[in-house]
Amino acid sequence: MADALVVAEHRRGELREVSYEAITAGRALADARGGDLHVAVVAGDVDGFAEDMNREGVDAIHAVPNGEEFDHTVYQAAVGALVDRLDAGSVVVPNSVNGLDYAPALAEDLGVPIVTDAIGIDYDDGLTVTREMYGSKVETTVDVAGDRFVVTVRGGEWAPAEGVGDAPVETTEIDLPESRARVTGFEEIGGGDVDIADADVLVSVGRGIGEEENLELVEELADALGATLSASRPIVDNGWLPKNRQVGQSGKVVTPDVYIAIGISGAVQHVAGMKGSDTIVAINTDPNAPIFDIADYGIVGDLFDVVPALIAEFE
């Protein structure tokens, strides 16, 4: 039971970035246990997904061509069948809405422990998982008993697997139960098809903006930088920007190349969603604002003075 199985995640025909990060986490587990790394792609364009997931470090890929989109019943049964066939001891699943939908049921079927929302994994004669608690104020470690387990990994905590692999791809026929649910379509919510999690540069605004009409100034900076506009929770709660623009524990986890925090104090809930950014720039009038503790560059000043100067510089 040394092999590890990573389950890819896709939505609307595209693999999610966390799938490649899960390969990195799974490879480390397989190495620590002296086994191989297998990857499962379930439903949708499995041939295309298998090609994309064939990264360095992957030993074998299993394609299960059942359905088009995520289905709890299909994923639970397909992944469970693969675990049994491979005698896999470690199952790595993205810590997402879909992953958290079927992973607990999978663990129950297998009779193994599950640890969710992992930000770190170590294996040395046993699994130790690092997690955050109390609004990301503290980190805890969880020791997991037994040789088999399911773990869900948080996006943005591992480097995505790179390089082109040469793993064989096997189309796996599995006798799956008939699902009682199916995806009939998708409906866009406010904000269109913008996904801040995919942005390379984010300009994020907080309550320091004062009034809704002042958002126009920050939007000008985002346009000058070719960036995407995002926000902390107060802006979304006020209805000034849609929910899909929210960064933080109750929003989205983002890992852009550059994250510019404007008028954001740096509450732990917000920091939990953006601390993995490569470069963090903070603009705030309060020199003691917590955001400066994690910022690579800090500007203590009035955003209404600083932002226009930045716009003039980058236009």
Side-chain angles (χ1 to χ4, degrees):
M1 293 189 295
D3 289 349
L5 176 65
V6 166
V7 186
E9 175 167 319
H10 60 88
R11 296 180 196 168
R12 305 187 66 176
E14 294 186 2
L15 284 167
R16 310 300 291 178
E17 184 73 9
V18 68
S19 298
Y20 307 110
E21 297 166 10
I23 290 177
T24 302
R27 182 68 262 174
L29 272 174
D31 287 344
R33 305 186 72 184
D36 291 335
L37 175 62
H38 298 256
V39 171
V41 290
V42 183
D45 179 17
V46 292
D47 291 336
F49 296 151
E51 182 178 352
D52 288 341
M53 292 293 286
N54 206 334
R55 302 292 175 98
E56 290 181 2
V58 175
D59 294 301
I61 299 177
H62 306 271
V64 184
N66 292 76
E68 292 300 321
E69 292 290 343
F70 172 77
D71 182 299
H72 170 96
T73 302
V74 170
Y75 269 68
Q76 180 182 348
V79 178
L82 286 172
V83 170
D84 288 340
R85 287 188 185 186
L86 301 171
D87 196 24
S90 313
V91 183
V92 180
V93 175
N95 190 75
S96 61
V97 172
N98 290 352
L100 292 174
D101 181 288
Y102 73 90
L106 172 66
E108 175 67 19
D109 286 346
L110 298 173
V112 302
I114 179 172
V115 183
T116 60
D117 201 23
I119 64 171
I121 297 174
D122 290 304
Y123 193 91
D124 185 7
D125 294 328
L127 177 69
T128 299
V129 176
T130 303
R131 305 178 73 245
E132 291 183 333
M133 297 181 65
Y134 305 115
S136 299
K137 294 179 181 177
V138 297
E139 287 188 358
T140 63
T141 55
V142 179
D143 292 329
V144 181
D147 293 329
R148 303 182 73 185
F149 49 81
V150 176
V151 59
T152 70
V153 294
R154 182 189 296 183
E157 300 296 333
W158 281 266
E162 297 180 342
V164 178
D166 58 357
V169 178
E170 173 187 334
T171 299
T172 304
E173 299 294 337
I174 297 176
D175 185 17
L176 300 175
E178 183 178 352
S179 176
R180 291 177 292 180
R182 62 188 177 91
V183 176
T184 60
F186 293 90
E187 181 178 344
E188 296 288 356
I189 61 173
D193 58 359
V194 173
D195 188 348
I196 60 175
D198 294 334
D200 293 326
V201 181
L202 281 175
V203 175
S204 203
V205 62
R207 69 170 76 244
I209 197 69
E211 302 292 338
E212 183 176 6
E213 54 264 29
N214 294 329
L215 278 175
E216 184 177 344
L217 178 64
V218 181
E219 289 172 344
E220 288 183 34
L221 177 59
D223 289 342
L225 293 170
T228 301
L229 184 65
S230 57
S232 62
R233 180 170 179 171
I235 300 300
V236 174
D237 287 347
N238 286 341
W240 299 351
L241 285 174
K243 176 70 175 177
N244 67 336
R245 300 282 184 146
Q246 182 180 331
V247 175
Q249 198 169 46
S250 55
K252 286 193 173 183
V253 175
V254 298
T255 55
D257 295 333
V258 179
Y259 187 89
I260 303 176
I262 301 175
I264 295 174
S265 63
V268 291
Q269 291 85 355
H270 183 80
V271 169
M274 46 70 73
K275 65 181 181 180
S277 305
D278 286 346
T279 301
I280 299 172
V281 180
I283 303 170
N284 204 292
T285 56
D286 180 6
N288 297 314
I291 193 69
F292 288 123
D293 293 338
I294 63 165
D296 298 288
Y297 301 96
I299 302 174
V300 178
D302 191 325
L303 66 89
F304 298 104
D305 295 326
V306 176
V307 173
L310 292 175
I311 293 171
E313 179 68 25
F314 288 104
E315 278 187 333

